Amino acid sequence: MRSLIILVTLSATLLLGNRASAEPLVYTGHTFSFAKEAFADPYASENQDVILGDIAISRGNTLGIFNAAVEDAYVVNFSPAGTAWAFKNNNPVETLAASNWAALVFEDWQTATGGQGGGPPATVDQDAVLHLIDQDIYLDIRFIAWGIGTGAGGSFAYERAEITPSADFDRDGDVDGRDFLIWQRGFDADDVLQFDGDANFDGVVDASDLELWQTAYGGALTAFTAVPEPSGLLLAAFLALHFATCRYRNI
């Protein structure tokens, strides 16, 4: 009886998960490279760095970078939409690394670089940090080229950290039954965030996200590799909570 009470209490607590208390996702390193050539069409997908479904960085033949997923062109002191930036200009004494996100000041790209004219070229070969606001993701980034003037055709290049799937939906540092319940609650929803159970950042919560959870968890719920029926979901939730309770007892 006591175990059942603990299980029910744990279930209620998990279902009331609070995003506000979650830590951001942090990706480090500069393993992914992107470059837009001079005069390349910024609206063609091959000339966009699609970081996430709603974040696609590109540049016109002049001016600054913008988010081609939601913007038609660069907007002064705003673009790229959905992002904030930390450069040496607005963080002169801080270590510019995604792992140091809490100590950094983040602003729109133009303000952070120091201005539309001289700012962007000055950021070349500097460490910087990009914040993807809606998903609350921080990643290392370093511009390695910036085309200056109309003859440069809006060319630019950078290296950044690569985003990989995460089934740690409550962002508490591990993948467990709590994360399964978040996936279950968000199942079959679209236009969602990683917080909602979208492990692969494709904007939906589905069986592929459950598979990523299973892999990260250790395959404990191997019977549920396909999308479970509602009764199966309840059983899976019970098993996940049971495992979480057992782990708690063994700590």
Side-chain angles (χ1 to χ4, degrees):
M1 182 65 179
R2 183 170 178 273
S3 297
L4 181 60
I5 292 173
I6 292 173
L7 194 59
V8 171
T9 301
L10 179 59
S11 177
T13 301
L14 298 178
L15 290 173
L16 293 174
N18 186 359
R19 290 185 186 180
S21 63
E23 290 291 311
L25 291 180
V26 176
Y27 293 92
T28 61
H30 301 89
T31 58
F32 179 87
S33 298
F34 172 78
K36 176 191 173 286
E37 301 298 329
F39 301 104
D41 179 5
Y43 306 107
S45 59
E46 62 267 23
N47 301 317
Q48 301 170 0
D49 177 20
V50 183
I51 303 176
L52 295 174
D54 60 349
I55 303 288
I57 304 299
S58 193
R59 185 188 179 197
N61 292 339
T62 59
L63 302 178
I65 57 176
F66 66 98
N67 180 1
V70 297
E71 295 179 289
D72 293 328
Y74 175 71
V75 179
V76 173
N77 291 126
F78 178 78
S79 298
T83 70
W85 302 74
F87 286 96
K88 183 178 180 180
N89 176 70
N90 61 337
N91 292 273
V93 299
E94 294 291 345
T95 300
L96 285 162
S99 58
N100 193 38
W101 63 270
L104 299 177
V105 173
F106 289 85
E107 299 172 284
D108 68 89
W109 174 82
Q110 181 173 323
T111 301
T113 61
Q116 184 175 309
T123 67
V124 172
D125 294 328
Q126 288 183 6
D127 288 337
V129 180
L130 168 58
H131 183 207
L132 307 181
I133 297 171
D134 287 347
Q135 293 276 15
D136 198 17
I137 291 174
Y138 293 89
L139 58 155
D140 290 333
I141 190 167
R142 181 191 299 128
F143 283 80
I144 57 176
W146 183 266
I148 303 172
T150 57
S155 61
F156 75 101
Y158 58 60
E159 300 168 338
R160 64 167 174 84
E162 189 169 2
I163 293 179
T164 54
S166 172
D168 182 13
F169 304 126
D170 61 5
R171 300 187 178 184
D172 64 350
D174 59 17
V175 175
D176 55 18
R178 296 174 177 84
D179 301 300
F180 174 84
L181 286 180
I182 292 172
W183 174 86
Q184 181 190 24
R185 183 173 52 185
F187 175 68
D188 210 24
D190 53 17
D191 194 23
V192 293
L193 301 173
Q194 188 268 348
F195 299 101
D196 303 308
D198 178 19
N200 58 6
F201 301 101
D202 65 354
V204 296
V205 178
D206 56 18
S208 62
D209 301 304
L210 178 61
E211 291 175 0
L212 288 166
W213 175 86
Q214 286 179 280
T215 299
Y217 186 74
L221 301 183
T222 53
F224 301 98
T225 52
V227 178
E229 296 295 327
S231 59
L233 282 171
L234 291 174
L235 177 58
F238 179 86
L239 290 172
L241 289 168
H242 174 70
F243 295 145
T245 303
C246 291
R247 288 185 173 183
Y248 174 79
R249 286 177 175 174
N250 292 329
I251 292 175

